[in-house]
Amino acid sequence: MNRGSAGRLAGRAPSLAVDVRGSLNVVGTLLTYLSASTSVPAGFAIGYGESPWPFLAAGAIAGGFGAGIAFATRGEHRLGVREAFLVVSLTWLAAAALGALPFLISGDPQLDRPVDAFFEGMSGFSTTGGSVVVDVEALPHGLAMWRQLMQWLGGIGIIVLALAVLPRLRVGGRQLLEHEMPGPEIETLRTRIRDTARRVWILYVALTALLFAILLAFGLSGVDEEMSAFHALAHALTTIPTAGFSTKVDSIEGFAAATQWLILVFMVLGGINFALMFRGIVRRQPRAAVRDEELQLYLALLAVGSIVVVAEIWTEDVLPAAEAIRVGLFTAVSTMTTTGFSIADYNTWPALAMMTIVGLMFVGGSAGSTTGSVKVVRHLLLGKILRREIDQTLHPELVLPVRLNRAVVEERTLRAVSSFILLYIGIFVVGAALLAVDAARTGLPLTPFDAVAVSASMLSNVGPAFGIGGPLGSFEPFSDLSTILMIALMWLGRLEIIPIIVLLTRHYWRNV
Amino acid sequence: MKIFLIGAGQVGATIVQALQDDHELTVLDLDESRLAALSQRYDVATVEGNGASRRVLSSAGVAACDLLIACTSRDESNIVSAMITKAIAPRTTTIVRTTNPEYLEVWREGQLDVDFIVSSEVETANAIVRTIAVPAARQTDVFAEGQVQLVEFDVEHQADSRIIGVPLREVALPPDSRVAGIIRGAEFILPGGADVIRAGDRIVVIGSPQAAVAWGELIEPGTGKVRDVVIFGAGRAGTAVARVLLEQDIGVRLIEASLEQARIVAAELPRARVHHATGLDPDFLERERIADAQVAIFAMRDDLKNHYAATLAKVHGARFTVAIVHEAASVEVFERAGVDVSINPRQVTAEEIVRFAHDPRTQQVAMLEGDRFEVLDITTRSRSDYVGKRFKDMPIRGALIGAIVRDGIAVFPHGEDVLRPGDRAIIFTESRRVSDVERAL
C-alpha cells in the first residue's frame, strides 16, 4: 500500500468551515468605502464654522482600519452562502462603530460615552431613530447632519444589501421577492437583482430629492416658517428611509400642518416595495402595481390602524376633530412604517390607542421597502398558512397550495416565514423581559408595558416607544446593559434575525 | 372523397367503420397486424410505414387525397404528419388528434397550420358536461369552446309559474339567454315578444352556461345547478373535466393518489379542492362525504381501478356515477356494474372527427328534433348584407342569432348591437333554411 496516499487521505481537516479571512476582507473593503461618507458632515461643519476634524479623523481611522483588514486578509478566498452571513452581520456592526466615531472624537457632552455613541450609530444605520440625545438642537450642525446621513445610508443599505446581496445568498425574502416580480423581466438571477438594486437606488434618490425640494419650497414660500434649508435636507434624508431622526427636539410637532401631511405621504411611500413602485411609476404599469396583494394589505392595515387611533383619541376627547385626524393618522403611519417621527406625546392617550400603536410596530411595510419589522407580506402569508391549517384539520388529505399574487409559494418559503415570525416574537419577548428586569435592578422608572414597547420598538426599528423611551423622551437614562441589549435588538431587527442567529449554530462554523 | 388515415388503433378503427361506406380510404400504420385486421373487415387500402415520414407519405399518394386524418396516440407525430401533408398538398384538409389540450390552445391562436384539431380530453370533458351540467335538460349542446350552450327542455307543470302563460317580453329571463324556439306538437314557433310558453311545450334556449343553469332551475325547480362534483383521478382526463366544470362555476373536488400530481393540479386549478388520497379508502369516503356529491366521475388511468372505485362509491351511496373508460369492451362492463354513464374518449374523439369529415364547412353543427332544426356556427363575411346592421333591424326569416363570438369571446346580442365582419354567429334555424342563412352571411 502506498503510504503517501493514505497519509493524504487522513490529512488534517480544516478547522473552520467558514472562510473567516475572506469574510473579513469583504467587511474591511466595505468599511473603507463607507468611511468616505464622513466627508459630507465635514463639509457641513466647515460651512457652519465648526471643526471638521472629528469627521475627517473618524473617516481616516475607519478607512485605515478597514483598508488594513482588507490588506491583512488579502489573497484567495472562498466566498459563498456561508460567508455572506458573517459579512452582513459584521458589516452592520462595523457601520454602527463608524457612526459612533465622530461623536466620540468630538467629545460632545451628550454622546461622549462609547456605549451611548454606539447606540446612536446603530440607531442611525438601522434606521431605528431612537436616540440617547436629550437636546438635539444643542448638537453642532455637523454632528446633527451626520445622524441624518447615517439613516439615509442605512435606508439604502437595507435595499442594496437585502435586494442585491442577501437574496443572492438565499437569505430571507428572496423567494418572496421573486413572487413579487414575475414576468418577462426575469433574465438570469444575477442581472435581475443588480438591475433591481440599481432601479431602487434611482427611485430612492429621486424621492429624497423630491421631498427635499417640496420641503424647501414650503420653507421659502412661508407655508412653514420653521422649515429652513438645513431642516428640509435633514428631514428629507430620514423620511424616505422611514428612519425617524429629527434635527428638532420636538420631532415634527413644531412644523406646519402642511409639512406634517407631506411627510406622512412620503412615509407611506417609503413603506411600499420599491421594485413595485418602480413598475408602477417608471414602467407606467400602475394597474399591475395596485393589484399587488401585499400593497393592498399594507394600505388596508394603514387605514385600519389609523382609524382605530383617530377614533379613540377623538371620542375620548384627547384632541378636537381636525387635529385628532391629523395627529392620529400621522402617529399610526409613522409607527407602522417604522419611521418613528412624532407630532404628539401619545403617552397619555387612552389604552386602546396605545395598544394599537404597539401592535402596529409589529406590522412594518412591504418587503423590499425601507421599513423594518415583520413586513406585511409575512403577515399575509402567515394568514394564508393558518387558514390552510384550519381547512386541513377537517380535511387532512387536502392539497392546498398557498398563493401570492396568484403564483404558488414554495413550501420552503412558507416554513421560513413561519419560523421567522416565531423567532421574531421569541426575541421580542426575551428582550422585553430582560429590559424590565434590568430596569428593576437599576431603579429605572420603566413599567412592564414600557419595556414591552421598547423591545418591540427596537426590534422593529421604529424608534420611540412609551414611558421614558416615548416620543419626547430619550434612551439616555437606560443602563449600559440595557443599552447594549437595545443595540442587539436593533441589529437583529435590521438584519431580519436569521443571518445573525445562523452564526450561533455549531454547524455554521464546523462541518461535523 | 379520398381520405388518408394515419393510425389504425381504436380511434382509427372507429373512424374507418363510420367512413368506409361513402369514402375512399387509405389507412397507414406502423403495425402490420392492425392493418391486416382492418383490411379483412373493410374495403380499405393499407400502407405499412411511419406516418411522420415525408417519403412514406408521398409514395403512399397523400398528394391526391382530399382529407388527412392523423389519429395515432402520439400528438407530435400527428402534427408532423399534418404539416408534411400541408407542404406536399396545400389543398388537403387536415385533422389532427391530440391528447394535450395545450396544442388545442396553440391551434386556436393560429400558431399551428392544421385545419382542425380534436383533443380527446376536451371532447371527453365536453361530453361529460353535456351529460351533467343541466340535469333538467333533454339535450345540451356546447358551442364556442363551451361559452355558448344550446339546451332543450320539456316544460312540465312543475315549471316556475313566472314563465308559463306570460308573454315573453314580460318575463324576466335569465340574462345572456334567449328562447330560440318553441315546439308545440307539430307546430314550430320562432318566438317574438308576444309569444308565451305553455306547459307541455318543448323549448330551445341559447345562452351562456350560467343562463342554461338558471333555465334548468326555472323549468324544474330544485334541480337547477350541479354544485358538487367529485372526480377520481387528476390525470389529463380528470383535469380537463375539472377545468370545464370550473369554468361553468360548478364546484369540483379532485382525488389523486400521487402527491406530486395532486400538487401540480392544485397549483393549476385554484378553485378545485384537491385531495391526496386513493379514493379506495372507505374511511376517507365517509369522512369527506363523497356520497353527498351530486356526480362522481371516475377518470383514473386504469379501468380496473375505476371499476372498483365506482362500485365502492355506489356502495357508499353515490347517486350519479360517470366513468371514463379506456377499453372499448369496458363500456358494457361498467354499465352492468351500475355506473350511470360510461364514456370512452377514443369513441368520442372518433365521432368528433367523423362529424367534421362529413361536413368541414361550418365549425360545429348540432341537429335537434331529428333533423328538423340545425344550429350553425358561421363566420360572417365582410361582404354580407347584415354586417353593420342592428340585430333588431334584421328581417327574421326563420332563423335566430343566439350568440356571436367576437375575438374568441361569446356575446349575447341585444337589439341595439351590430354585426361585424369576422363575427362567428351561432344561429338556430330550421333545416330547410340553412342554405339561405349561409348565403346571407
Side-chain angles (χ1 to χ4, degrees):
Chain A
M1 195 60 212
N2 184 331
R3 293 185 72 184
S5 76
R8 271 203 297 282
L9 272 176
R12 217 157 52 89
S15 55
L16 285 181
V18 184
D19 188 346
V20 176
R21 277 173 62 92
S23 308
L24 287 176
N25 184 273
V26 177
V27 175
T29 312
L30 286 171
L31 181 60
T32 311
Y33 288 133
L34 198 58
S35 60
S37 60
T38 52
S39 56
V40 176
F44 272 90
I46 294 169
Y48 283 96
E50 299 159 2
S51 164
W53 288 112
F55 302 106
L56 298 179
I61 293 170
F65 185 66
I69 289 177
F71 181 76
T73 57
R74 72 191 180 282
E76 269 197 30
H77 302 299
R78 292 166 57 195
L79 289 173
V81 177
R82 282 184 184 228
E83 286 69 26
F85 295 107
L86 193 57
V87 168
V88 169
S89 303
L90 289 181
T91 302
W92 282 91
L93 282 181
L98 168 70
L101 273 181
F103 302 131
L104 291 175
I105 296 170
S106 74
D108 188 276
Q110 295 193 65
L111 286 160
D112 58 350
R113 298 178 56 247
V115 176
D116 286 351
F118 195 58
F119 178 94
E120 204 73 4
M122 186 57 91
S123 177
F125 276 104
S126 69
T127 72
T128 304
S131 181
V132 293
V133 176
V134 178
D135 185 0
V136 181
E137 286 162 52
L139 287 178
H141 289 87
L143 284 184
M145 191 51 82
W146 174 236
R147 290 169 79 239
Q148 309 301 109
L149 184 70
M150 282 194 291
Q151 296 211 313
W152 193 75
L153 291 172
I156 192 75
I158 294 178
I159 289 154
V160 170
L161 276 171
L163 286 182
V165 183
L166 292 189
R168 207 194 313 169
L169 305 165
R170 305 198 54 181
V171 180
R174 189 194 96 185
Q175 280 155 325
L176 298 177
L177 287 168
E178 286 222 26
H179 287 298
E180 292 160 17
M181 294 179 288
E185 286 176 27
I186 299 166
E187 296 157 59
T188 65
L189 203 62
R190 182 169 304 199
T191 57
R192 187 170 68 80
I193 282 166
R194 289 225 176 117
D195 275 359
T196 309
R198 188 179 50 79
R199 287 170 193 165
V200 163
W201 226 98
I202 293 168
L203 201 56
Y204 189 70
V205 173
L207 284 172
T208 307
L210 179 65
L211 178 59
F212 172 61
I214 302 176
L215 286 175
L216 194 63
F218 276 13
L220 294 177
S221 65
V223 173
D224 192 337
E225 303 286 346
E226 286 287 313
M227 187 58 70
S228 65
F230 180 79
H231 287 319
L233 179 62
H235 291 91
L237 286 178
T238 57
T239 302
I240 299 300
T242 62
F245 271 159
S246 176
T247 41
K248 305 251 297 174
V249 171
D250 55 0
S251 191
I252 312 298
E253 193 176 348
F255 291 119
T259 305
Q260 294 173 355
W261 282 113
L262 178 70
I263 285 178
L264 186 150
V265 168
F266 275 80
M267 288 193 292
V268 173
L269 288 177
I272 295 174
N273 180 338
F274 272 50
L276 193 71
M277 225 192 307
F278 188 89
R279 239 176 111 185
I281 299 171
V282 183
R283 284 279 164 83
R284 290 170 202 279
Q285 301 173 330
R287 270 196 208 162
V290 171
R291 245 183 272 135
D292 184 76
E293 280 184 65
E294 186 187 19
L295 179 64
Q296 289 173 354
L297 183 60
Y298 167 65
L299 296 174
L301 287 172
L302 274 181
V304 170
S306 305
I307 289 168
V308 172
V309 174
V310 169
E312 184 76 351
I313 59 175
W314 185 352
T315 54
E316 298 281 319
D317 289 324
V318 178
L319 290 166
E323 230 173 301
I325 290 173
R326 190 184 73 234
V327 171
L329 257 173
F330 189 96
T331 306
V333 168
S334 172
T335 308
M336 194 181 114
T337 60
T338 73
T339 309
F341 283 143
S342 54
I343 60 173
D345 184 4
Y346 44 68
N347 266 313
T348 54
W349 285 4
L352 181 60
M354 285 166 71
M355 293 306 290
T356 309
I357 289 169
V358 174
L360 287 174
M361 287 179 182
F362 287 94
V363 179
S366 312
S369 72
T370 62
T371 59
S373 195
V374 173
K375 308 227 169 33
V376 172
V377 74
R378 288 204 181 89
H379 290 290
L380 184 60
L381 287 175
L382 185 69
K384 292 182 178 202
I385 293 168
L386 293 178
R387 202 169 58 191
R388 173 169 79 167
E389 282 305 314
I390 289 165
D391 203 350
Q392 281 177 334
T393 314
L394 210 58
H395 309 283
E397 290 89 359
L398 259 188
V399 179
L400 291 170
V402 168
R403 287 159 198 279
L404 182 66
N405 292 325
R406 294 211 193 142
V408 174
V409 182
E410 276 181 45
E411 293 301 318
R412 249 181 96 91
T413 310
L414 298 179
R415 275 207 306 278
V417 166
S418 317
S419 347
F420 176 84
I421 294 178
L422 279 177
L423 263 176
Y424 202 88
I425 293 170
I427 289 173
F428 150 71
V429 169
V430 171
L434 291 180
L435 282 171
V437 169
D438 190 52
R441 182 182 65 91
T442 56
L444 190 72
L446 191 77
T447 67
F449 176 78
D450 296 344
V452 163
V454 169
S455 179
S457 182
M458 288 296 134
L459 188 58
S460 300
N461 301 131
V462 176
F466 281 90
I468 50 170
L472 303 181
S474 153
F475 290 94
E476 194 265 339
F478 283 79
S479 74
D480 282 359
L481 197 61
S482 288
T483 309
I484 290 168
L485 180 64
M486 290 189 290
I487 292 169
L489 287 174
M490 288 190 275
W491 185 44
L492 283 161
R494 155 42 85 88
L495 297 185
E496 300 206 320
I497 301 169
I498 311 285
I500 295 166
I501 295 289
V502 162
L503 302 186
L504 303 180
T505 59
R506 172 189 162 86
H507 292 286
Y508 176 76
W509 298 99
R510 292 178 195 281
N511 286 327
V512 282
Chain B
M1 187 158 59
K2 278 191 177 167
I3 299 176
F4 212 91
L5 185 79
I6 300 168
Q10 239 187 82
V11 175
T14 313
I15 294 170
V16 169
Q17 189 188 351
L19 296 178
Q20 48 108 13
D21 274 345
D22 306 329
H23 304 282
E24 206 178 305
L25 278 168
T26 305
V27 183
L28 195 148
D29 200 294
L30 281 170
D31 185 345
E32 197 194 352
S33 61
R34 281 175 165 183
L35 293 172
L38 271 184
S39 62
Q40 270 167 25
R41 288 179 63 190
Y42 308 111
D43 177 23
V44 293
T46 58
V47 177
E48 188 193 335
N50 179 1
S53 147
R54 191 176 71 163
R55 192 175 42 76
V56 172
L57 281 175
S58 55
S59 69
V62 81
C65 77
D66 303 299
L67 175 67
L68 174 100
I69 300 171
C71 61
T72 72
S73 54
R74 294 181 306 279
D75 295 354
E76 290 75 16
S77 168
N78 291 341
I79 291 170
V80 169
S81 302
M83 288 181 146
I84 291 174
T85 306
K86 269 284 175 206
I88 299 173
R91 309 186 72 183
T92 303
T93 305
T94 52
I95 305 180
V96 160
R97 169 200 177 192
T98 165
T99 50
N100 186 347
E102 197 187 328
Y103 286 127
L104 194 65
E105 215 171 280
V106 175
W107 171 70
R108 275 195 203 125
E109 285 161 16
Q111 311 271 323
L112 217 52
D113 186 16
V114 169
D115 293 306
F116 191 60
I117 281 201
V118 178
S119 154
S120 310
E121 272 68 23
V122 173
E123 293 306 329
T124 308
N126 285 337
I128 289 177
V129 171
R130 279 201 290 277
T131 324
I132 66 171
V134 188
R138 251 192 102 246
Q139 186 183 342
T140 308
D141 283 290
V142 194
F143 301 90
E145 290 83 49
Q147 296 180 81
V148 180
Q149 287 193 354
L150 180 127
V151 194
E152 220 181 337
F153 294 104
D154 281 332
V155 183
E156 309 283 355
H157 288 285
Q158 78 259 36
D160 196 304
S161 58
R162 281 172 297 178
I163 59 165
I164 295 186
V166 183
L168 282 176
R169 74 164 78 86
E170 289 166 24
V171 180
L173 297 177
D176 286 344
S177 75
R178 58 197 306 180
V179 181
I182 300 173
I183 298 151
R184 191 168 292 152
E187 190 190 358
F188 170 72
I189 304 160
L190 201 60
D195 289 302
V196 294
I197 298 172
R198 296 194 193 134
D201 286 351
R202 175 169 292 174
I203 62 168
V204 179
V205 173
I206 294 186
S208 66
Q210 290 76 16
V213 169
W215 268 101
E217 184 63 27
L218 287 174
I219 299 297
E220 216 174 305
T223 60
K225 190 173 166 68
V226 177
R227 284 167 209 286
D228 182 5
V229 174
V230 172
I231 302 174
F232 289 73
R236 268 191 190 162
T239 312
V241 174
R243 187 174 284 124
V244 176
L245 291 174
L246 288 168
E247 276 166 15
Q248 319 227 343
D249 286 330
I250 295 172
V252 171
R253 291 190 272 170
L254 281 157
I255 298 166
E256 169 60 45
S258 140
L259 180 58
E260 201 186 337
Q261 179 66 14
R263 287 222 171 101
I264 293 170
V265 173
E268 221 175 288
L269 303 174
R271 287 189 297 150
R273 307 262 293 173
V274 183
H275 295 265
H276 169 228
T278 57
L280 306 176
D281 171 12
D283 285 345
F284 170 78
L285 297 180
E286 195 48 49
R287 190 174 59 239
E288 293 297 333
R289 304 276 193 274
I290 296 299
D292 288 356
Q294 286 155 294
V295 182
I297 298 170
F298 298 86
M300 293 178 279
R301 263 177 226 98
D302 186 350
D303 280 0
L304 300 179
K305 260 192 193 161
N306 279 335
H307 187 248
Y308 181 81
T311 311
L312 186 65
K314 276 275 178 195
V315 168
H316 275 263
R319 284 176 274 174
F320 191 83
T321 48
V322 177
I324 295 176
V325 302
H326 302 94
E327 298 299 326
S330 296
V331 174
E332 207 177 320
V333 173
F334 273 82
E335 276 166 13
R336 275 289 170 80
V339 169
D340 297 286
V341 177
S342 32
I343 289 174
N344 179 346
R346 293 184 176 85
Q347 183 72 28
V348 174
T349 309
E351 280 167 12
E352 183 68 15
I353 290 174
V354 168
R355 210 172 47 72
F356 184 82
H358 274 310
D359 185 8
R361 277 175 310 142
T362 38
Q363 278 220 35
Q364 217 159 5
V365 186
M367 306 276 198
L368 279 102
E369 293 292 298
D371 55 0
R372 258 178 84 191
F373 306 103
E374 279 188 29
V375 181
L376 306 174
D377 180 342
I378 302 178
T379 303
T380 319
R381 288 174 295 136
S382 53
R383 285 177 291 130
S384 163
D385 294 342
Y386 290 85
V387 163
K389 273 213 172 140
R390 286 183 300 182
F391 285 94
K392 65 173 187 183
D393 297 336
M394 289 183 193
I396 295 172
R397 271 195 273 142
L400 173 128
I401 298 184
I404 54 175
V405 182
R406 187 171 287 165
D407 302 326
I409 310 266
V411 188
F412 297 88
H414 298 282
E416 296 295 328
D417 291 329
V418 164
L419 193 64
R420 295 194 205 143
D423 283 353
R424 258 170 73 191
I426 312 283
I427 297 168
F428 177 79
T429 180
E430 286 179 90
S431 297
R432 58 194 167 89
R433 295 190 193 271
V434 166
S435 52
D436 294 346
V437 172
E438 288 189 331
R439 221 174 306 126
L441 290 172

